[in-house]
Amino acid sequence: MNNSPAPQKRKRGRPSSINRESIARAALDIGVQKATIPQIATHLGVAHSSLYHHVKSRDEIIAMAADIAVEELDWRCPETVTWREELIVLTDSIWELYYKNPGLAESLNHGEITPTTGILSFAESVSRLQHKGFPLNEAVVAVDMLVDMVKECFIGWWSIEKTEQDGRLRREKMIELWESEAQNSLEQAEQITAMVGIMKAGPRAWWESKRNIVLDGIEVTRERNAKSNSE
């Protein structure tokens, strides 16, 4: 006769109140630049040790957050728009992505994260240009150049929007420096003052001026190549 105790049924654990997506979205809510493991845990109302059941590190969380942010980016246009309009919407959407998620542009620039959704969106954007008549190589260069430019321009502007220890914006100090130099260097005052005007106009005007010059260059290149192919 078997007198061993009957096996007890394993009690089901309490369902986890967090998962990988909720952790990543918490990082977006807090802000990529500021989000730390303890802050994310507090935001979710759990002990920070609980996060390590789902992720290995803060870098992994930021990478997941970037994937979500890029996936939800609204950049696609109707097929009827021109290639120029397509690239304007794409790059303006990326600018807004960086604006809404401080620190994301820097993380991408340093190679800390490479969102899979970003790779797929890049490929899709290239494909959309191909459907508008771009050869593959030209489409790749056009998208790559503008995507890189918007990131670098955003980082450049963001760096001068930081507050110094005296409470003033770095941009204000730079404007004063350039204006002072314009007064001291009268022969170059026109050119220096023009740059001051750009700094005063704000980041979007600065970015759009650069973007439009590049788009004009792409248009000239396409017209030249089309003419060469027709001869």
Side-chain angles (χ1 to χ4, degrees):
M1 182 175 180
N2 188 0
N3 294 323
S4 60
Q8 295 182 350
K9 292 183 178 180
R10 180 179 296 177
K11 294 182 180 180
R12 291 186 178 181
R14 182 180 177 183
S16 176
S17 60
I18 60 173
N19 54 40
R20 288 172 63 82
E21 181 177 346
S22 66
I23 293 170
R25 290 193 180 278
L28 290 175
D29 290 341
I30 296 168
V32 170
Q33 192 173 43
K34 298 179 180 179
T36 63
I37 294 288
Q39 286 176 322
I40 293 169
T42 299
H43 185 83
L44 293 170
V46 299
H48 81 267
S49 58
S50 300
L51 270 59
Y52 291 107
H53 294 298
H54 305 274
V55 297
K56 295 179 181 178
S57 64
R58 179 186 181 275
D59 288 344
E60 184 178 359
I61 295 172
I62 301 305
M64 292 190 303
D67 257 321
I68 291 173
V70 173
E71 185 177 16
E72 296 179 350
L73 187 64
D74 184 16
W75 62 270
R76 294 170 181 84
C77 297
E79 291 293 335
T80 53
V81 306
T82 65
W83 64 264
R84 188 183 185 106
E85 292 170 322
E86 178 113 23
L87 289 173
I88 288 174
V89 171
L90 171 66
T91 51
D92 283 357
S93 298
I94 295 173
W95 182 282
E96 286 301 312
L97 174 71
Y98 295 151
Y99 182 78
K100 292 177 180 178
N101 298 280
L104 181 57
E106 288 84 351
S107 294
L108 291 169
N109 193 54
H110 295 152
E112 296 172 7
I113 55 174
T114 305
T116 301
T117 50
I119 297 172
L120 296 176
S121 294
F122 176 89
E124 183 181 346
S125 184
V126 169
S127 177
R128 291 169 72 92
L129 287 186
Q130 287 181 274
H131 292 157
K132 289 180 167 60
F134 275 66
L136 176 58
N137 287 343
E138 285 185 25
V140 169
V141 170
V143 175
D144 181 61
M145 178 168 54
L146 283 163
V147 169
D148 278 350
M149 273 189 63
V150 68
K151 179 176 62 180
E152 291 167 5
C153 286
F154 184 88
I155 291 173
W157 188 268
W158 192 260
S159 68
I160 65 172
E161 283 294 284
K162 294 180 179 179
T163 303
E164 298 283 5
Q165 290 184 348
D166 60 4
R168 298 181 61 205
L169 287 177
R170 191 176 297 172
R171 176 162 60 101
E172 294 174 353
K173 292 187 174 183
M174 287 186 64
I175 289 173
E176 286 184 3
L177 176 63
W178 281 66
E179 287 179 332
S180 175
E181 192 59 37
Q183 293 176 358
N184 297 331
S185 307
L186 296 180
E187 291 184 0
Q188 286 82 35
E190 180 183 9
Q191 293 78 19
I192 295 172
T193 302
M195 186 61 199
V196 171
I198 289 174
M199 286 190 280
K200 288 182 176 180
R204 286 306 295 262
W206 182 51
W207 157 246
E208 289 171 7
S209 296
K210 290 188 173 186
R211 179 201 66 199
N212 290 341
I213 288 174
V214 172
L215 291 174
D216 288 344
I218 294 172
E219 187 166 2
V220 170
T221 300
R222 284 190 50 72
E223 290 174 353
R224 183 186 61 210
N225 291 345
K227 183 178 179 180
S228 298
N229 292 334
S230 64
E231 291 177 354

